[in-house]
Amino acid sequence: MFNKKTQSIDEDYVKGEIAEVKGEDVDVVMDNQEEIADKIQSSNVLKKYTELGKVMIGMLKDYRNGIYSNVPWFTIAAIAFGLLYILNPFDLIPDFIPGIGYVDDFAVLTFSLRFIETDIHNYLDWKLDEGNKEEVEV
């Protein structure tokens, strides 16, 4: 899934990688959601995405369970790609490099979220409208 042909992370790189996401990638995210959450929480660079990460995983879960379907595949793929990128320790800048290891993860997540911001808001509105307020983790 990860193409290392590029030396930089930009909007085009993220869009191209999102286009390659398959349904099985969503399963990998769901199977590793605790590890992804731990990585986000333990990284100073990614910590600001802790609550958003929970919302994105919740959205994937509701989508996968057929509870929430009012979302384009691109949004599901963007969430899966962003979270899988965080999970992968050997991405463009390996996570174990002190000080800069999570900079690329931050960039990928930022670009991914920029593409899907409206859909995240729609999902949160839906959760509140459906009386699922207690399930929204924000």
Side-chain angles (χ1 to χ4, degrees), residues 6-44:
T6 186
Q7 293 298 318
S8 65
I9 294 174
D10 59 15
E11 206 170 282
D12 290 334
Y13 168 76
V14 174
K15 275 185 185 175
E17 292 298 313
I18 289 170
E20 299 296 318
V21 172
K22 308 277 186 266
E24 303 83 51
D25 296 322
V26 175
D27 294 337
V28 173
V29 170
M30 298 313 300
D31 292 344
N32 292 282
Q33 60 185 310
E34 287 181 33
E35 186 178 346
I36 293 167
D38 289 345
K39 264 184 114 169
I40 292 171
Q41 181 64 30
S42 66
S43 164
N44 287 333

Side-chain angles (χ1 to χ4, degrees), residues 10 23 25 44 46 48 61 69 84 91-92 105 112 126 129:
D10 59 15
D25 296 322
N44 287 333
L46 298 174
K48 79 176 222 169
K61 191 180 295 184
S69 60
L84 284 174
D91 42 35
L92 290 176
D105 298 49
S112 296
W126 172 81
D129 288 346

Side-chain angles (χ1 to χ4, degrees), residues 62-82:
D62 285 345
Y63 173 82
R64 189 169 155 212
N65 291 333
I67 298 169
Y68 184 71
S69 60
N70 188 25
V71 59
W73 172 252
F74 182 86
T75 297
I76 297 303
I79 292 170
F81 173 69

Side-chain angles (χ1 to χ4, degrees), residues 80-122:
F81 173 69
L83 296 177
L84 284 174
Y85 195 92
I86 289 169
L87 182 64
N88 182 4
F90 300 106
D91 42 35
L92 290 176
I93 303 174
D95 295 343
F96 56 80
I97 298 175
I100 64 166
Y102 288 102
V103 171
D104 60 325
D105 298 49
F106 178 80
V108 165
L109 204 51
T110 300
F111 280 121
S112 296
L113 285 167
R114 191 178 301 167
F115 297 141
I116 65 170
E117 184 177 354
T118 299
D119 291 323
I120 294 288
H121 287 289
N122 290 342

